[in-house]
Amino acid sequence: MADKMVSKHLMNLEKQFASTDPVLQKAVKVFQELDDLEFELGLLDNDETTARRCSWWPLISTLGGYSPAKSEFIDRFLDAHLHTTRHKFTVLQYTPQTNSATLPGTALDADHRLPFYKISREIEQARPGEGSKINSYLELVTVHSNKLKNKLIIDTPVLNPAAENVANTKLRQHVIAISDLVLVFTDLFDTDPEFNKDTIAGIVKHQDTNKFLYVIDHFELNLDENKIHEIIASWQRRLNDFGIFTGQFVVLSQNGNTSLIEQRINNLNSDRSYRVLDALETSIRSVDDVVMDEVESALVSWKERSNATTLIILSFVIMLILFAEIAVGILDLFFDPIIGPAIIVGLIAIMTPLHLLVSKVHAKFIIKQLHKRQKQLNLSEDLSGLFEKSLTFWRMLLPITKPVGDNKKNRKKLNGLMEQTKDLVQALNDQFSRSQHQDYQAHYDLQTEEEY
């Protein structure tokens, strides 16, 4: 079998991180090894890569309610006057051009470098008929702001009861899951509970990821430190009622300190790296825990159906023989030392290709079911590809239900890739610890110089 060519996407990623992030550069190599294994199993096309399942940009997202607090903050933060569509999920991307441009949702759906890649399939799954209307849900806006360099902001639409539907809920859940930092404006909790319950459930589900920063907007007021602490304590108690017990708080006021937001944004590269490594680990685990199990289950169903059909045909043949015995008496021929074995060989010669034909017919129905199952699970792996590779001559005849490649050799490969990923997480931990130590040392040296 020909070796898989290296995806252009992976080559570009490796060049991008060669001088800036050695951990992610090594992660690209692990993705390539996973690609090779999945290609060998028929799960991946030659020009595809598992690295496309996650965005490699650091991602900030915003969640808010009816008030303009969210959009006003974005304008202040980017020092720009944006005219985004409040009912769409808007991805804000840096441009060196001074003029802003708005691109349709198809630009996001088709570009594997950006979030929402192939999201139309998930929308179609959540709400049939809506996948083709991607432009009514998404847009990409380019902004000339240095604060957007090498990062993206996803501005989610306000919770509007008139426009809310299953697809919007699905997109919000997706945004929460893929973001490295989520700025949650507290006016979200003042909206109609009927329409914000799914969003709050998504926050509760991911609250232990430490990605949420709750923004309390009092920009029109001048608040002292004691008042700010009182406001935060009040909101902490209120969010506890929603089942939210973790996350940081910041109060925006005329004299407020936004250093916490700046600090979190400065740490986005590390947050992004952890997210990419988590996606890599999930992809490795899914081969054994999800893909193999799904294909094995399909093979069991296929084998049962094929054998049952063949047994029905064989039973019909036996009934014909019994009728022939009643009519002309031919059973004695089966006991003839020459004719008997010849009849049995002939029967096997007829039933074997017939069983193969029956198996291939049933395989077509199973393949259609696997395509549906793949969409339900939102898998990029081609389940039918591994299934078809498992339809060899002897596997059709013998009681084998394990997929091709489900063996100790490949499990050892997967375990090796998992160990490499864990080593990269450890290296990232060490890298982050060194960075914090250097920041502390620089701060200490500065204080020392000032004292002298």
Side-chain angles (χ1 to χ4, degrees):
M1 183 177 181
D3 292 335
K4 186 186 185 304
M5 67 180 187
V6 180
S7 164
K8 289 182 180 179
H9 182 50
L10 278 183
M11 289 191 289
N12 290 334
L13 287 173
E14 187 173 7
K15 290 177 184 177
Q16 177 182 342
F17 297 116
S19 58
T20 60
D21 197 322
V23 170
L24 287 184
Q25 185 190 18
K26 291 176 183 176
V28 170
K29 296 289 188 183
V30 182
F31 271 109
Q32 178 58 42
E33 291 184 52
L34 180 60
D35 289 351
D36 292 340
L37 178 59
E38 291 203 2
F39 176 71
E40 184 182 331
L41 294 174
L43 296 169
L44 204 65
D45 290 337
N46 200 18
D47 58 342
E48 279 294 328
T49 173
T50 50
R52 288 180 176 172
R53 296 171 193 168
C54 63
S55 173
W56 291 67
W57 293 81
L59 295 177
I60 307 169
S61 65
T62 63
L63 296 173
Y66 301 130
S67 81
K70 179 165 63 70
S71 56
E72 289 175 357
F73 167 79
I74 292 175
D75 284 353
R76 289 197 305 268
F77 177 71
L78 298 179
D79 191 22
H81 296 288
L82 303 178
H83 301 286
T84 57
T85 308
R86 287 170 61 84
H87 66 276
K88 292 184 182 181
F89 291 79
T90 303
V91 175
L92 304 176
Q93 182 181 19
Y94 170 78
T95 179
Q97 306 296 325
T98 54
N99 294 329
S100 177
T102 301
L103 304 178
T106 49
L108 293 164
D109 189 57
D111 194 335
H112 57 77
R113 298 169 301 176
L114 299 172
F116 300 113
Y117 176 54
K118 290 185 178 180
I119 196 66
S120 58
R121 296 191 303 185
E122 292 188 44
I123 294 177
E124 184 66 24
Q125 188 71 29
R127 195 179 186 196
E130 293 298 299
S132 60
K133 302 175 184 177
I134 192 70
N135 290 337
S136 63
Y137 291 100
L138 302 175
E139 65 180 2
L140 173 64
V141 175
T142 61
V143 184
H144 182 65
S145 171
N146 288 333
K147 288 190 176 181
L148 263 181
K149 278 186 177 180
N150 301 317
K151 61 181 69 71
L152 297 173
I153 292 179
I154 306 174
D155 186 25
T156 63
V158 298
L159 286 161
N160 182 357
E164 204 61 24
N165 57 42
V166 175
N168 274 329
T169 300
K170 181 74 174 178
L171 286 168
R172 276 197 186 85
Q173 299 291 344
H174 178 74
V175 168
I176 291 172
I178 67 172
S179 295
D180 302 304
L181 173 62
V182 184
L183 301 178
V184 184
F185 289 79
T186 49
D187 65 332
L188 170 75
F189 303 95
D190 294 325
T191 56
D192 189 337
E194 181 63 28
F195 295 100
N196 70 6
K197 63 180 181 181
D198 291 320
T199 302
I200 293 174
I203 294 173
V204 171
K205 177 182 177 182
H206 294 278
Q207 65 176 316
D208 292 333
T209 59
N210 194 36
K211 66 171 68 178
F212 297 101
L213 180 59
Y214 298 96
V215 182
I216 307 165
D217 185 60
H218 288 302
F219 196 72
E220 74 286 356
L221 301 178
N222 193 326
L223 303 172
D224 59 32
E225 284 297 319
N226 290 333
K227 186 61 178 177
I228 288 174
H229 287 310
E230 287 179 16
I231 292 172
I232 290 177
S234 174
W235 271 105
Q236 283 176 325
R237 290 191 295 270
R238 185 172 177 187
L239 263 58
N240 286 349
D241 295 336
F242 289 97
I244 299 171
F245 304 102
T246 63
Q248 294 176 295
F249 288 79
V250 63
V251 177
L252 298 181
S253 63
Q254 286 182 359
N255 61 326
N257 186 353
T258 60
S259 60
L260 180 57
I261 296 178
E262 298 288 345
Q263 178 187 350
R264 292 297 302 269
I265 291 175
N266 290 337
N267 288 337
L268 275 179
N269 283 337
S270 295
D271 295 335
R272 178 268 313 272
S273 297
Y274 282 112
R275 173 172 54 79
V276 169
L277 292 178
D278 181 65
L280 174 56
E281 183 176 340
T282 300
S283 296
I284 295 169
R285 290 186 188 279
S286 69
V287 174
D288 205 23
D289 296 345
V290 180
V291 173
M292 288 296 181
D293 285 350
E294 288 292 329
V295 175
E296 182 175 357
S297 178
L299 286 169
V300 169
S301 297
W302 165 73
K303 183 70 71 175
E304 289 175 350
R305 295 179 188 182
S306 301
N307 290 343
T309 303
T310 301
L311 285 174
I312 291 172
I313 296 172
L314 184 59
S315 299
F316 181 72
V317 171
I318 292 173
M319 287 178 63
L320 289 178
I321 293 173
L322 292 176
F323 282 128
E325 165 61 18
I326 294 171
V328 297
I330 65 168
L331 285 181
D332 290 341
L333 295 175
F334 283 89
F335 298 101
D336 185 274
I338 297 176
I339 299 177
I343 292 175
I344 294 174
V345 169
L347 192 61
I348 293 174
I350 293 172
M351 292 304 300
T352 298
L354 193 60
H355 178 68
L356 294 176
L357 178 62
V358 165
S359 297
K360 289 178 181 179
V361 171
H362 280 294
K364 291 182 179 180
F365 293 103
I366 295 293
I367 288 171
K368 289 182 180 179
Q369 292 177 7
L370 282 174
H371 286 152
K372 292 180 181 178
R373 184 63 177 159
Q374 183 177 333
K375 290 180 179 178
Q376 289 174 353
L377 296 173
N378 194 31
L379 294 174
S380 57
E381 285 90 355
D382 183 9
L383 298 179
S384 63
L386 178 55
F387 177 80
E388 290 184 78
K389 285 184 74 75
S390 302
L391 303 183
T392 59
F393 176 81
W394 290 111
R395 283 174 169 270
M396 289 185 181
L397 296 179
L398 299 175
I400 302 174
T401 56
K402 287 282 186 183
V404 167
D406 187 4
N407 50 45
K408 290 183 179 179
K409 176 185 173 184
N410 284 334
R411 274 192 290 274
K412 185 177 179 181
K413 282 184 182 178
L414 290 171
N415 288 335
L417 295 179
M418 187 64 71
E419 287 302 316
Q420 289 184 58
T421 305
K422 290 178 179 178
D423 289 343
L424 290 176
V425 172
Q426 184 175 340
L428 188 60
N429 291 343
D430 294 341
Q431 188 182 86
F432 191 63
S433 298
R434 283 196 301 271
S435 176
Q436 284 187 318
H437 175 72
Q438 289 169 357
D439 290 344
Y440 171 78
Q441 188 64 43
H443 179 68
Y444 175 78
D445 292 341
L446 181 61
Q447 282 186 322
T448 304
E449 288 178 9
E450 290 175 348
E451 289 174 1
Y452 284 97

